Amino acid sequence: MASRLRRTLLAALVTAAVTVPVSAAARPAAVPAPAPATLAPLTAAELPLLGDRFAAGRADIRAAAETAADHGDQGRAARLRVMADPARHFLSFDGRDGGRTAEVFGDLARAERIAVLVPGSDTNLDTYERFRAGAVALHDELGGRAAVVAWLGYATPGTVSPEVLTEGRADDAAAQLQEFVRELKGAKPGSRVSLLCHSYGSVVCGRAAPSLDVADIALYGSPGAGADNVADLRTPATVWAGRGSDDWIAAVPHVRLDILGTTLGLGADPVSDGFGARTFAAGDGGHSDYLKPGSVSLKNLARIALGRGAEVTHA
């Protein structure tokens, strides 16, 4: 069995190593963007005045759109102009290296419950609207007195890439997530913050977990969390896990192998009994369906974010 899993991972690595360089010129990170304005850390005093921060984000997005257009990527430029709509609210934006954003849905100043969405592979400025649609659906499900932050705070790996097989990108992202959550909790000390982590985002949350002051960590569509079990995450948060019955991620080998000085694999399956997470029903959806309006998974993730764990249904 171990030999077969090793061959599977090696085959994936070889495929990625061949595919990625060929498509490098088309990667989202290849589109240049100017450095964003420098913003001070978010504070409680600033919450009633977030309009200024949102305006700064819009200015950065417009500048990135102009640069993308000058570069000849009219598709990126058009998508950025949509993001610059005054009705949208970004706590931060950086158009470089595929994009970094933190978009808010709901009234953050008044929110008592805050859900932070952490995305997985292939999430960037060119695919951002897919990520945003899930955040909108979650906010609609949560109702008033709750806010959602769509946190694209790291360079996500490609689904077909060497990086998606290792924890390297997650290790780099973990510090950024820890900093963001600390800032958020400092500005909103009485709020209940939950992390909802999709796909490779589960690895990011797993690596960041020991230093996060959050109530819940929900892992869904997860290839692993960089840990063998919940105890390894060293977190007081309640850890949840769910997987749709039609999610291809179930076929990913849940192992960690040292090959040629590199650790491949992302750890144990979070929905397995041995991992020790509280499992929730995720319905019959596929890998991209967890935040689909009306879905079982969306309803359960909303219950988790609202602190209504007793109402969560189980597979």
Side-chain angles (χ1 to χ4, degrees):
M1 175 64 74
S3 177
R4 181 164 58 85
L5 294 177
R6 186 178 292 107
R7 288 196 301 272
T8 299
L9 285 171
L10 281 172
L13 180 60
V14 170
T15 299
V18 171
T19 304
V20 173
V22 171
S23 61
R27 286 184 300 184
V31 184
T38 300
L39 299 174
L42 182 67
T43 65
E46 188 187 359
L47 285 176
L49 306 170
L50 283 176
D52 292 341
R53 183 175 288 256
F54 295 154
R58 283 194 295 275
D60 287 333
I61 295 170
R62 292 188 182 111
E66 292 178 6
T67 302
D70 291 342
H71 181 69
D73 195 327
Q74 301 304 324
R76 169 74 66 85
R79 285 185 283 272
L80 288 169
R81 293 186 191 108
V82 171
M83 293 175 73
D85 188 316
R88 294 177 65 168
H89 302 141
F90 288 86
L91 288 173
S92 62
F93 174 86
D94 186 342
R96 297 172 296 179
D97 193 28
R100 309 285 192 280
T101 69
E103 186 172 9
V104 177
F105 304 84
D107 187 345
L108 187 62
R110 299 181 59 206
E112 298 172 354
R113 304 284 189 271
I114 303 172
V116 178
L117 293 180
V118 181
S121 60
D122 284 325
T123 306
N124 50 63
L125 292 179
D126 293 335
T127 62
Y128 182 78
E129 289 306 307
R130 180 181 62 198
F131 181 41
R132 180 180 187 270
V136 170
L138 178 63
H139 182 253
D140 289 345
E141 190 72 28
L142 291 175
R145 310 295 286 184
V148 175
V149 180
W151 183 83
L152 174 55
Y154 74 110
T156 66
T159 299
V160 180
S161 70
E163 290 87 356
V164 82
L165 299 174
T166 75
E167 298 163 4
R169 290 288 181 97
D171 286 337
D172 293 340
Q176 305 302 318
L177 181 58
Q178 290 166 346
E179 180 180 354
F180 178 76
V181 171
R182 278 195 296 267
E183 193 172 316
L184 187 61
K185 288 291 292 185
K188 295 283 298 179
S191 62
R192 187 181 198 281
V193 176
S194 298
L195 291 184
L196 308 186
C197 318
H198 178 237
S199 194
Y200 191 85
S202 298
V203 192
V204 176
C205 291
R207 304 304 282 178
S211 299
L212 293 177
D213 179 16
V214 295
D216 296 278
I217 299 175
L219 314 173
Y220 53 102
S222 174
D228 292 329
N229 49 55
V230 167
D232 284 349
L233 298 179
R234 298 177 317 207
T235 175
T238 301
V239 179
W240 301 80
R243 184 167 63 221
S245 62
D246 198 30
D247 189 343
W248 58 263
I249 206 76
V252 171
H254 293 282
V255 296
R256 299 174 86 183
L257 302 171
D258 290 326
I259 299 176
L260 302 177
T262 299
T263 300
L264 299 181
L266 303 172
D269 186 350
V271 301
S272 66
D273 291 340
F275 191 80
R278 297 182 64 180
T279 57
F280 64 89
D284 57 1
H287 192 63
S288 300
D289 297 333
Y290 290 92
L291 298 178
K292 185 176 180 180
S295 65
V296 172
S297 52
L298 175 63
K299 292 182 183 300
N300 276 330
L301 287 167
R303 290 166 183 145
I304 290 168
L306 291 170
R308 290 162 30 192
E311 299 176 25
V312 171
T313 60
H314 304 276

